Coordinates of all heavy atoms in Angstrom, one line a residue:
M1 N 0.9 -1.2 0.0 CA 0.0 0.0 0.0 C 0.9 1.3 0.0 O 1.9 1.3 0.7 CB -0.9 0.0 1.2 CG -2.0 1.0 1.2 SD -3.1 0.6 2.6 CE -4.0 2.1 2.6
N2 N 0.5 2.3 -0.8 CA 1.3 3.5 -0.9 C 0.8 4.5 0.2 O -0.3 4.9 0.2 CB 1.1 4.1 -2.3 CG 1.9 5.3 -2.5 OD1 2.8 5.6 -1.6 ND2 1.7 6.0 -3.6
H3 N 1.8 4.8 1.1 CA 1.4 5.8 2.2 C 1.9 7.2 1.9 O 1.9 8.1 2.7 CB 2.0 5.3 3.5 CG 1.4 4.1 4.0 ND1 0.1 4.0 4.5 CD2 1.8 2.8 4.0 CE1 -0.2 2.8 4.9 NE2 0.8 2.0 4.5
E4 N 2.4 7.4 0.6 CA 3.0 8.7 0.3 C 1.9 9.8 0.5 O 0.8 9.7 0.1 CB 3.4 8.7 -1.1 CG 4.5 9.8 -1.4 CD 5.2 9.5 -2.8 OE1 5.8 8.5 -3.0 OE2 5.0 10.4 -3.6
G5 N 2.3 10.9 1.2 CA 1.4 12.0 1.4 C 0.4 11.9 2.5 O -0.4 12.7 2.8
V6 N 0.5 10.7 3.2 CA -0.5 10.4 4.2 C -0.4 11.4 5.4 O -1.4 11.7 6.1 CB -0.4 9.0 4.7 CG1 0.8 8.7 5.6 CG2 -1.7 8.5 5.3
E7 N 0.8 12.0 5.6 CA 1.0 13.0 6.7 C 0.1 14.2 6.5 O -0.1 15.0 7.5 CB 2.5 13.4 6.9 CG 3.4 12.3 7.3 CD 3.9 11.4 6.2 OE1 3.5 11.6 5.1 OE2 4.7 10.5 6.5
S8 N -0.3 14.5 5.3 CA -1.2 15.7 5.1 C -2.6 15.4 5.4 O -3.5 16.4 5.3 CB -1.0 16.2 3.7 OG -1.4 15.3 2.8
L9 N -3.0 14.2 5.8 CA -4.4 13.9 6.1 C -4.9 14.8 7.3 O -4.1 15.1 8.2 CB -4.5 12.5 6.6 CG -4.6 11.4 5.5 CD1 -4.6 10.0 6.2 CD2 -5.8 11.6 4.6
K10 N -6.1 15.2 7.2 CA -6.7 16.0 8.3 C -7.3 15.0 9.3 O -8.2 14.2 9.0 CB -7.8 17.0 7.8 CG -7.2 18.1 7.0 CD -8.2 19.1 6.5 CE -7.6 20.1 5.7 NZ -8.5 20.9 4.8
I11 N -6.8 15.1 10.5 CA -7.2 14.1 11.6 C -8.0 14.9 12.7 O -7.5 15.9 13.2 CB -6.0 13.4 12.2 CG1 -5.3 12.6 11.1 CG2 -6.4 12.5 13.3 CD1 -4.0 12.1 11.4
R12 N -9.1 14.3 13.0 CA -9.9 14.9 14.1 C -10.1 13.9 15.2 O -10.5 12.8 14.9 CB -11.3 15.4 13.6 CG -11.1 16.5 12.6 CD -12.3 17.3 12.4 NE -11.9 18.5 11.6 CZ -12.4 18.8 10.4 NH1 -13.3 18.0 9.9 NH2 -12.1 19.8 9.8
I13 N -9.7 14.3 16.4 CA -9.8 13.3 17.6 C -10.8 13.9 18.5 O -10.8 15.1 18.9 CB -8.4 13.2 18.2 CG1 -7.4 12.5 17.3 CG2 -8.5 12.4 19.6 CD1 -6.0 12.6 17.7
I14 N -11.8 13.1 18.9 CA -12.9 13.5 19.8 C -12.5 13.1 21.2 O -12.4 11.9 21.5 CB -14.2 12.9 19.4 CG1 -14.5 13.1 17.9 CG2 -15.3 13.5 20.3 CD1 -14.5 14.6 17.4
G15 N -12.2 14.1 22.1 CA -12.0 13.8 23.5 C -10.5 14.0 23.8 O -9.6 13.4 23.2
A16 N -10.2 14.9 24.8 CA -8.9 15.1 25.2 C -8.5 14.4 26.5 O -7.9 14.9 27.4 CB -8.6 16.6 25.4
G17 N -9.0 13.1 26.6 CA -8.6 12.3 27.7 C -7.2 11.7 27.4 O -6.6 12.1 26.4
I18 N -6.7 10.8 28.2 CA -5.4 10.3 28.0 C -5.3 9.6 26.6 O -4.3 9.6 25.9 CB -4.9 9.4 29.2 CG1 -3.4 9.3 29.1 CG2 -5.6 8.1 29.2 CD1 -2.7 8.9 30.3
G19 N -6.4 8.9 26.3 CA -6.5 8.2 25.0 C -6.3 9.2 23.8 O -5.5 9.0 22.9
G20 N -7.1 10.3 23.8 CA -7.1 11.2 22.7 C -5.8 12.0 22.7 O -5.2 12.2 21.6
L21 N -5.3 12.4 23.8 CA -4.0 13.2 23.8 C -2.8 12.3 23.4 O -1.9 12.8 22.7 CB -3.8 13.8 25.2 CG -4.8 14.9 25.6 CD1 -4.5 15.5 27.0 CD2 -4.8 16.1 24.5
T22 N -2.8 11.0 23.9 CA -1.7 10.1 23.5 C -1.8 9.9 22.0 O -0.7 9.8 21.3 CB -1.8 8.8 24.3 OG1 -1.8 9.1 25.7 CG2 -0.7 7.9 24.0
T23 N -3.0 9.7 21.5 CA -3.1 9.5 20.0 C -2.6 10.7 19.3 O -1.9 10.6 18.3 CB -4.6 9.2 19.7 OG1 -5.1 8.1 20.4 CG2 -4.8 9.0 18.2
A24 N -3.0 11.9 19.7 CA -2.6 13.1 19.0 C -1.1 13.3 19.1 O -0.4 13.6 18.0 CB -3.2 14.4 19.7
L25 N -0.5 13.0 20.2 CA 1.0 13.1 20.4 C 1.7 12.1 19.5 O 2.7 12.4 18.8 CB 1.4 13.0 21.8 CG 2.9 13.2 22.2 CD1 3.4 14.5 21.7 CD2 3.1 13.0 23.7
S26 N 1.2 10.9 19.5 CA 1.8 9.8 18.7 C 1.8 10.2 17.2 O 2.8 10.0 16.5 CB 1.1 8.5 18.9 OG 1.1 8.1 20.2
L27 N 0.6 10.6 16.8 CA 0.5 11.0 15.4 C 1.4 12.2 15.0 O 2.0 12.2 13.9 CB -1.0 11.3 15.0 CG -2.0 10.1 15.1 CD1 -3.4 10.6 15.0 CD2 -1.7 9.2 13.9
A28 N 1.4 13.2 15.9 CA 2.3 14.3 15.6 C 3.8 13.9 15.5 O 4.5 14.3 14.6 CB 2.1 15.4 16.7
Q29 N 4.2 13.0 16.4 CA 5.6 12.5 16.4 C 5.8 11.6 15.2 O 7.0 11.5 14.8 CB 5.9 11.8 17.7 CG 6.0 12.8 18.9 CD 6.4 12.1 20.2 OE1 6.6 10.9 20.3 NE2 6.6 12.9 21.2
S30 N 4.8 11.1 14.6 CA 4.9 10.3 13.4 C 4.9 11.1 12.1 O 5.0 10.5 11.0 CB 3.8 9.2 13.3 OG 3.9 8.4 14.4
G31 N 4.7 12.4 12.3 CA 4.8 13.3 11.1 C 3.5 13.8 10.6 O 3.5 14.6 9.7
F32 N 2.4 13.4 11.2 CA 1.1 14.0 10.8 C 1.0 15.5 11.2 O 1.4 15.8 12.3 CB -0.1 13.2 11.4 CG -0.2 11.8 10.8 CD1 0.5 10.8 11.3 CD2 -1.0 11.6 9.7 CE1 0.4 9.5 10.7 CE2 -1.1 10.4 9.1 CZ -0.4 9.3 9.6
Q33 N 0.5 16.3 10.3 CA 0.7 17.8 10.5 C -0.7 18.5 10.9 O -0.7 19.6 11.3 CB 1.3 18.4 9.3 CG 2.7 18.0 9.1 CD 3.1 18.0 7.6 OE1 2.4 18.5 6.8 NE2 4.1 17.3 7.2
H34 N -1.8 17.8 10.5 CA -3.1 18.5 10.7 C -3.9 17.7 11.7 O -4.7 16.8 11.3 CB -3.8 18.6 9.4 CG -2.9 19.3 8.3 ND1 -2.6 20.6 8.4 CD2 -2.2 18.8 7.3 CE1 -1.8 21.0 7.4 NE2 -1.6 19.8 6.7
I35 N -3.7 17.9 13.0 CA -4.4 17.1 14.0 C -5.2 18.1 14.8 O -4.7 19.1 15.4 CB -3.4 16.4 14.9 CG1 -2.5 15.5 14.0 CG2 -4.2 15.6 16.0 CD1 -1.3 15.0 14.8
Q36 N -6.5 17.9 15.0 CA -7.3 18.7 15.9 C -7.9 17.8 16.9 O -8.4 16.7 16.6 CB -8.5 19.4 15.1 CG -8.0 20.6 14.2 CD -9.2 21.2 13.6 OE1 -9.9 20.5 12.7 NE2 -9.5 22.4 13.9
V37 N -7.9 18.3 18.2 CA -8.5 17.5 19.3 C -9.7 18.3 19.8 O -9.6 19.5 20.1 CB -7.5 17.3 20.4 CG1 -8.1 16.6 21.6 CG2 -6.2 16.6 19.9
F38 N -10.8 17.7 19.8 CA -12.1 18.4 20.3 C -12.4 17.8 21.7 O -12.4 16.6 21.9 CB -13.2 18.1 19.3 CG -13.1 18.7 18.0 CD1 -12.4 18.1 17.0 CD2 -13.6 20.0 17.7 CE1 -12.2 18.7 15.7 CE2 -13.4 20.6 16.5 CZ -12.7 19.9 15.5
E39 N -12.7 18.7 22.6 CA -13.0 18.3 24.0 C -14.2 19.1 24.4 O -14.3 20.3 24.2 CB -11.8 18.6 24.9 CG -12.1 18.5 26.4 CD -12.7 17.1 26.7 OE1 -12.1 16.1 26.4 OE2 -13.8 17.1 27.3
M40 N -15.2 18.4 24.9 CA -16.5 19.1 25.3 C -16.4 19.7 26.7 O -17.1 20.7 27.0 CB -17.7 18.1 25.2 CG -17.7 17.0 26.2 SD -19.2 16.1 25.9 CE -19.0 14.8 27.2
A41 N -15.4 19.3 27.5 CA -15.3 19.9 28.9 C -14.7 21.3 28.7 O -13.8 21.5 27.9 CB -14.4 19.0 29.7
A42 N -15.2 22.2 29.5 CA -14.7 23.6 29.4 C -13.3 23.8 30.0 O -12.6 24.6 29.6 CB -15.7 24.5 30.1
D43 N -13.0 22.9 30.9 CA -11.7 23.0 31.6 C -11.1 21.7 31.9 O -11.8 20.7 32.2 CB -12.1 23.7 33.0 CG -10.8 23.9 33.8 OD1 -9.7 24.2 33.2 OD2 -10.9 23.9 35.1
L44 N -9.8 21.5 31.7 CA -9.1 20.3 32.0 C -8.2 20.5 33.2 O -7.0 20.4 33.1 CB -8.3 19.8 30.8 CG -9.1 19.4 29.5 CD1 -8.1 19.0 28.4 CD2 -10.0 18.2 29.8
G45 N -8.7 20.9 34.3 CA -7.9 21.2 35.5 C -7.7 20.0 36.4 O -8.2 18.9 36.1
F46 N -7.1 20.3 37.5 CA -6.9 19.2 38.5 C -8.2 18.9 39.2 O -9.0 19.8 39.5 CB -5.8 19.7 39.6 CG -4.4 19.8 39.0 CD1 -3.9 21.0 38.5 CD2 -3.6 18.7 38.9 CE1 -2.6 21.1 38.0 CE2 -2.4 18.8 38.4 CZ -1.9 20.0 38.0
V47 N -8.4 17.7 39.6 CA -9.6 17.3 40.4 C -9.2 16.9 41.8 O -10.1 16.6 42.6 CB -10.4 16.2 39.7 CG1 -11.0 16.7 38.4 CG2 -9.6 14.9 39.6
G48 N -7.9 17.0 42.2 CA -7.5 16.7 43.5 C -7.4 15.3 43.8 O -7.3 14.9 45.0
A49 N -7.3 14.4 42.8 CA -7.2 13.0 43.0 C -5.8 12.5 42.5 O -5.3 13.2 41.6 CB -8.3 12.2 42.3
G50 N -5.4 11.4 43.0 CA -4.1 10.8 42.5 C -4.5 9.9 41.3 O -5.6 9.4 41.2
I51 N -3.5 9.6 40.5 CA -3.7 8.6 39.5 C -2.5 7.6 39.5 O -1.4 8.0 39.6 CB -3.9 9.2 38.1 CG1 -4.3 8.2 37.0 CG2 -2.7 10.1 37.6 CD1 -4.9 8.7 35.8
Q52 N -2.9 6.4 39.5 CA -1.8 5.3 39.5 C -1.4 5.0 38.1 O -2.3 4.7 37.2 CB -2.4 4.1 40.2 CG -1.4 3.0 40.4 CD -2.0 1.8 41.2 OE1 -2.7 2.0 42.2 NE2 -1.7 0.6 40.7
L53 N -0.1 5.1 37.8 CA 0.4 4.8 36.5 C 1.1 3.4 36.5 O 2.2 3.3 37.2 CB 1.3 5.9 36.0 CG 0.6 7.2 35.8 CD1 1.6 8.3 35.5 CD2 -0.5 7.2 34.8
A54 N 0.7 2.5 35.8 CA 1.3 1.1 35.8 C 2.5 1.2 34.9 O 2.7 2.1 34.0 CB 0.2 0.1 35.2
P55 N 3.4 0.2 35.0 CA 4.7 0.2 34.2 C 4.4 0.2 32.7 O 5.2 0.8 32.0 CB 5.3 -1.1 34.7 CG 4.8 -1.4 36.1 CD 3.4 -0.9 36.1
N56 N 3.4 -0.4 32.3 CA 3.1 -0.4 30.8 C 2.9 1.0 30.3 O 3.4 1.4 29.3 CB 2.0 -1.4 30.4 CG 0.7 -1.2 31.1 OD1 0.7 -0.5 32.1 ND2 -0.3 -1.8 30.6
I57 N 2.1 1.8 31.0 CA 1.8 3.1 30.5 C 3.0 4.0 30.7 O 3.3 4.9 29.9 CB 0.5 3.7 31.2 CG1 0.2 5.1 30.5 CG2 0.7 4.0 32.7 CD1 -0.2 5.0 29.1
A58 N 3.8 3.7 31.8 CA 5.0 4.5 32.0 C 6.0 4.3 30.8 O 6.6 5.3 30.3 CB 5.7 4.1 33.3
R59 N 6.1 3.1 30.3 CA 6.9 2.8 29.2 C 6.5 3.6 27.9 O 7.2 4.1 27.2 CB 7.0 1.3 28.9 CG 7.9 0.6 29.8 CD 8.2 -0.8 29.3 NE 7.0 -1.7 29.3 CZ 6.7 -2.4 30.4 NH1 7.4 -2.4 31.5 NH2 5.6 -3.2 30.4
V60 N 5.1 3.6 27.7 CA 4.6 4.3 26.6 C 4.9 5.8 26.7 O 5.3 6.5 25.7 CB 3.1 4.1 26.4 CG1 2.5 4.9 25.3 CG2 2.8 2.6 26.1
L61 N 4.6 6.4 27.9 CA 4.8 7.8 28.1 C 6.3 8.2 27.9 O 6.7 9.2 27.4 CB 4.3 8.2 29.5 CG 2.8 8.1 29.6 CD1 2.4 8.3 31.1 CD2 2.1 9.1 28.7
D62 N 7.2 7.2 28.3 CA 8.6 7.5 28.2 C 9.0 7.5 26.7 O 9.7 8.3 26.2 CB 9.4 6.4 28.9 CG 10.9 6.7 29.0 OD1 11.2 7.9 29.1 OD2 11.7 5.8 29.0
R63 N 8.4 6.5 25.9 CA 8.7 6.5 24.5 C 8.2 7.8 23.8 O 8.8 8.2 22.8 CB 8.0 5.3 23.8 CG 9.0 4.1 23.6 CD 8.3 3.0 22.9 NE 8.2 1.9 23.9 CZ 7.2 1.0 23.9 NH1 6.2 1.2 23.1 NH2 7.1 0.1 24.8
L64 N 7.1 8.3 24.3 CA 6.6 9.6 23.7 C 7.4 10.8 24.2 O 7.1 11.9 23.8 CB 5.1 9.7 24.1 CG 4.2 8.8 23.4 CD1 2.8 8.8 24.0 CD2 4.1 9.1 21.9
G65 N 8.3 10.6 25.2 CA 9.2 11.7 25.6 C 8.6 12.6 26.7 O 9.1 13.7 26.9
V66 N 7.5 12.1 27.4 CA 6.9 13.0 28.4 C 7.0 12.4 29.8 O 6.5 13.0 30.8 CB 5.4 13.2 28.1 CG1 5.3 14.0 26.8 CG2 4.6 11.9 28.0
W67 N 7.8 11.3 30.0 CA 7.8 10.6 31.3 C 8.6 11.4 32.3 O 8.3 11.5 33.5 CB 8.4 9.2 31.1 CG 8.5 8.5 32.5 CD1 9.6 8.2 33.1 CD2 7.4 8.2 33.3 NE1 9.3 7.7 34.4 CE2 7.9 7.7 34.5 CE3 6.0 8.3 33.2 CZ2 7.2 7.2 35.6 CZ3 5.2 7.9 34.3 CH2 5.8 7.3 35.4
K68 N 9.7 12.1 31.8 CA 10.6 12.8 32.8 C 9.8 13.8 33.6 O 9.9 13.8 34.8 CB 11.7 13.5 32.0 CG 12.9 13.9 32.8 CD 14.0 14.3 32.0 CE 15.1 15.0 32.8 NZ 14.8 16.5 32.9
E69 N 9.0 14.6 33.0 CA 8.2 15.6 33.7 C 7.2 15.0 34.6 O 7.0 15.5 35.7 CB 7.4 16.5 32.7 CG 8.3 17.5 31.9 CD 8.8 17.0 30.6 OE1 8.8 15.7 30.4 OE2 9.1 17.8 29.7
I70 N 6.6 13.9 34.2 CA 5.6 13.2 35.1 C 6.3 12.6 36.3 O 5.9 12.8 37.4 CB 4.9 12.1 34.3 CG1 4.0 12.7 33.2 CG2 4.0 11.2 35.2 CD1 3.5 11.7 32.2
A71 N 7.5 12.0 36.1 CA 8.2 11.3 37.1 C 8.7 12.4 38.2 O 8.7 12.1 39.4 CB 9.4 10.6 36.6
E72 N 8.9 13.6 37.8 CA 9.3 14.6 38.7 C 8.2 15.0 39.7 O 8.5 15.4 40.8 CB 9.8 15.9 38.0 CG 11.2 15.8 37.4 CD 11.5 16.9 36.4 OE1 10.7 17.8 36.3 OE2 12.6 16.7 35.7
E73 N 6.9 14.8 39.3 CA 5.8 15.0 40.2 C 5.3 13.8 40.9 O 4.4 13.9 41.8 CB 4.6 15.6 39.3 CG 4.9 16.8 38.6 CD 4.8 18.0 39.5 OE1 4.1 18.0 40.4 OE2 5.6 19.0 39.2
A74 N 5.8 12.6 40.5 CA 5.3 11.4 41.0 C 5.9 10.9 42.3 O 6.9 11.3 42.7 CB 5.5 10.3 39.9
V75 N 5.2 10.0 42.9 CA 5.6 9.3 44.1 C 5.7 7.8 43.8 O 4.7 7.3 43.3 CB 4.6 9.6 45.3 CG1 5.1 8.8 46.5 CG2 4.5 11.0 45.6
A76 N 6.8 7.2 44.1 CA 6.9 5.7 43.8 C 6.1 5.0 44.9 O 6.2 5.2 46.1 CB 8.3 5.3 43.9
C77 N 5.2 4.1 44.4 CA 4.3 3.3 45.2 C 5.0 2.0 45.5 O 5.2 1.2 44.6 CB 3.0 3.1 44.5 SG 1.8 2.2 45.4
R78 N 5.3 1.8 46.8 CA 6.1 0.6 47.2 C 5.2 -0.6 47.6 O 5.6 -1.7 47.5 CB 7.1 0.9 48.3 CG 7.9 2.1 48.0 CD 9.4 2.0 48.4 NE 10.1 3.1 48.0 CZ 10.7 3.3 46.8 NH1 10.6 2.4 45.9 NH2 11.3 4.4 46.5
D79 N 4.0 -0.3 48.1 CA 3.0 -1.4 48.5 C 1.6 -1.0 48.0 O 1.3 0.2 48.0 CB 3.0 -1.5 50.0 CG 4.3 -2.0 50.6 OD1 4.6 -3.2 50.2 OD2 4.9 -1.3 51.3
T80 N 0.9 -2.0 47.7 CA -0.6 -1.8 47.5 C -1.3 -3.0 48.1 O -0.8 -4.1 48.3 CB -0.9 -1.8 46.0 OG1 -0.6 -3.1 45.4 CG2 -0.3 -0.7 45.2
S81 N -2.6 -2.7 48.5 CA -3.4 -3.8 48.9 C -4.8 -3.6 48.4 O -5.3 -2.4 48.4 CB -3.4 -4.0 50.4 OG -4.1 -3.0 51.0
I82 N -5.5 -4.6 48.0 CA -6.8 -4.5 47.4 C -7.8 -5.4 48.3 O -7.5 -6.5 48.5 CB -6.9 -4.9 45.9 CG1 -6.0 -3.9 45.1 CG2 -8.3 -4.9 45.4 CD1 -5.9 -4.3 43.7
Ligands
FAD101 C1 -12.6 7.3 39.8 C2 -11.6 6.8 38.7 C3 -10.3 6.6 39.1 C4 -9.4 6.1 38.1 N1 -8.1 5.9 38.5 C5 -7.2 5.5 37.6 C6 -5.8 5.3 38.0 O1 -5.4 5.6 39.1 N2 -5.0 4.8 37.0 C7 -5.4 4.6 35.8 O2 -4.5 4.2 34.9 N3 -6.7 4.7 35.4 C8 -7.6 5.1 36.3 N4 -8.9 5.3 35.9 C9 -9.3 4.9 34.6 C10 -8.9 6.0 33.6 O3 -9.4 7.3 34.1 C11 -9.5 5.7 32.3 O4 -9.1 4.4 31.8 C12 -9.0 6.7 31.2 O5 -9.3 8.1 31.7 C13 -9.6 6.5 29.9 O6 -9.1 7.4 29.0 P1 -9.9 7.8 27.7 O7 -9.1 8.9 27.0 O8 -10.2 6.6 27.0 O9 -11.3 8.4 28.2 P2 -11.6 9.7 29.2 O10 -10.5 10.0 30.1 O11 -13.0 9.4 29.7 O12 -11.6 10.9 28.1 C14 -12.6 11.1 27.2 C15 -12.7 12.6 26.9 O13 -13.6 12.8 25.8 C16 -14.5 13.8 26.1 N5 -15.6 13.7 25.3 C17 -16.5 12.6 25.3 N6 -17.4 12.8 24.3 C18 -17.1 13.9 23.7 C19 -17.7 14.6 22.5 N7 -18.8 14.1 21.9 N8 -17.1 15.7 22.1 C20 -16.0 16.2 22.7 N9 -15.4 15.6 23.8 C21 -16.0 14.5 24.2 C22 -14.7 13.8 27.6 O14 -15.1 15.0 28.1 C23 -13.3 13.3 28.1 O15 -12.5 14.4 28.4 C24 -9.8 5.8 36.8 C25 -11.2 6.0 36.5 C26 -12.1 6.5 37.4 C27 -13.5 6.8 37.0

């Protein structure tokens, strides 16, 4: 299949959750130039909750080049119980 010129495709992503933003960043890093992210929430602020990041997502975020900034804010979780 010929992918020539595919980077000029117009891409629209619905939702600026971690899925939408990761998709947008991955596509931008792959050379796609026209990416729009639509989000219905008026504000993407802090909600005062923690979020647990498993090793698999940490590896993906590291490959995308954004892990260092996250790690600076993170606390290493040494024990869990459910
Ligand atoms: C209470 C709670 C705690 C959690 N804790 C963790 C945790 O510690 N660690 C972890 O890994 N996961 C956790 N999760 C799960 C994690 O939040 C989800 O797996 C993740 O957010 C899914 O990402 P997503 O991008 O698919 O969807 P979402 O984060 O739901 O993002 C979807 C976005 O799309 C927007 N949207 C929807 N419809 C439209 C539309 N028509 N037009 C425009 N925008 C639209 C929404 O406003 C939203 O911002 C938790 C979930 C909950 C509910």
Side-chain angles (χ1 to χ4, degrees):
M1 195 170 163
N2 182 8
H3 292 285
E4 204 169 298
V6 76
E7 290 87 356
S8 64
L9 280 175
K10 289 181 181 161
I11 296 169
R12 296 197 170 120
I13 294 168
I14 311 302
I18 196 159
L21 293 178
T22 304
T23 303
L25 183 56
S26 304
L27 290 167
Q29 290 185 354
S30 299
F32 289 87
Q33 294 149 17
H34 307 287
I35 304 162
Q36 283 182 296
V37 180
F38 293 87
E39 171 53 55
M40 68 180 179
D43 179 34
L44 294 175
F46 290 99
V47 294
I51 186 161
Q52 185 176 315
L53 298 174
N56 56 344
I57 186 64
R59 280 193 292 273
V60 172
L61 293 170
D62 193 33
R63 261 184 249 144
L64 289 169
V66 296
W67 178 248
K68 194 168 167 275
E69 287 93 335
I70 295 169
E72 283 168 8
E73 298 284 328
V75 175
C77 180
R78 310 219 175 276
D79 292 297
T80 60
S81 72
I82 295 173

